[in-house]
């Protein structure tokens, strides 16, 4: 039968259709911590990307820049352990930041097998621009919560993270 005879093309027939009330069924998902954390994470990451779009920085790279700024001379291994990134991924992150002129690797004064990390002048300048943008983004994400609720949310997220 052709489409003009009242049948939808095969590709349209196989698509998922909303439930009877016009919404997709979610089953137990709305009550699950992971589902709600993931939805919140997607919203936060999208807002973050909008806030820092001209600078091409990911949330992970921002965290790495902050850690290096706050702990100049930190080794890649210690940095990876602190932010929960495996060694090979950490090398790739530092390679990218170094190629952009944001991070400098110097021989470690304590261990000749590792590097001491520091921000370049350009990295410091970028961080100075990013921090206010990201603080504003963070405040925007929390705008519907009272200060007490904001503190409670942070505390609860820390408890969930510790449980893992």
């Amino acid at each position: 039968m052709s489409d003009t005879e009242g049948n939808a093309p095969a590709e349209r027939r196989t698509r998922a259709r909303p439930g009877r009330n016009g919404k997709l069924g979610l089953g137990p998902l709305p009550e699950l911590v992971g589902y709600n954390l993931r939805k919140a994470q997607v919203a936060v990451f999208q807002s973050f990307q909008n806030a820092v779009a001209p600078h091409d920085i990911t949330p992970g790279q921002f965290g790495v820049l902050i850690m290096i700024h706050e702990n100049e001379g930190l080794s890649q291994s210690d940095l990876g352990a602190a932010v929960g990134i495996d060694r090979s991924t950490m090398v790739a992150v530092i390679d990218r930041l170094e190629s952009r002129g944001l991070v400098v690797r110097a021989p470690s004064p304590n261990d000749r097998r590792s590097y001491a990390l520091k921000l370049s002048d350009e990295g410091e300048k970028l961080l100075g621009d990013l921090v206010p943008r990201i603080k504003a983004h963070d405040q925007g994400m929390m705008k519907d919560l009272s200060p007490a609720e904001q503190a409670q949310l942070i505390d609860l997220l820390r408890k969930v993270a510790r449980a893992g």
Side-chain angles (χ1 to χ4, degrees), residues 10-23:
E11 64 184 330
R12 284 200 342 232
R13 281 195 309 261
T14 59
R15 265 195 264 159
R17 302 225 190 277
R20 289 175 227 180
N21 63 0
K23 296 181 180 179

Side-chain angles (χ1 to χ4, degrees), residues 33 35 71 77 100 128 142 148 161:
V33 171
Y35 176 77
N71 303 280
S77 298
R100 291 184 59 191
M142 303 278 262

Side-chain angles (χ1 to χ4, degrees), residues 13 45 81 90 96 102-103 114 120 124 136-137 141 147 149:
R13 281 195 309 261
F45 276 33
M90 179 82 318
R96 173 144 170 78
L102 303 174
V103 171
S114 66
S120 66
E124 291 286 351
H137 140 78
M141 294 304 302
E149 289 171 325

Side-chain angles (χ1 to χ4, degrees), residues 96-104 119-123:
R96 173 144 170 78
L97 294 173
E98 185 180 41
S99 73
R100 291 184 59 191
L102 303 174
V103 171
V104 175
L119 296 184
S120 66
D121 290 343
E122 185 64 27

Side-chain angles (χ1 to χ4, degrees), residues 107-143:
S108 173
N110 305 328
D111 182 357
R112 293 181 5 204
R113 298 168 297 165
S114 66
Y115 293 104
L117 302 171
K118 72 175 205 167
L119 296 184
S120 66
D121 290 343
E122 185 64 27
E124 291 286 351
K125 182 176 178 266
L126 175 64
L127 203 55
D129 185 41
L130 289 176
V131 168
R133 288 173 178 261
I134 292 170
K135 283 184 176 181
H137 140 78
D138 204 61
Q139 289 171 349
M141 294 304 302
M142 303 278 262
K143 71 181 183 300

Side-chain angles (χ1 to χ4, degrees), residues 65-80:
L65 292 174
I66 289 289
M67 292 293 292
I68 294 170
H69 173 77
E70 295 294 325
N71 303 280
E72 188 171 311
L74 190 64
S75 73
Q76 286 180 193
S77 298
D78 290 342
L79 175 58

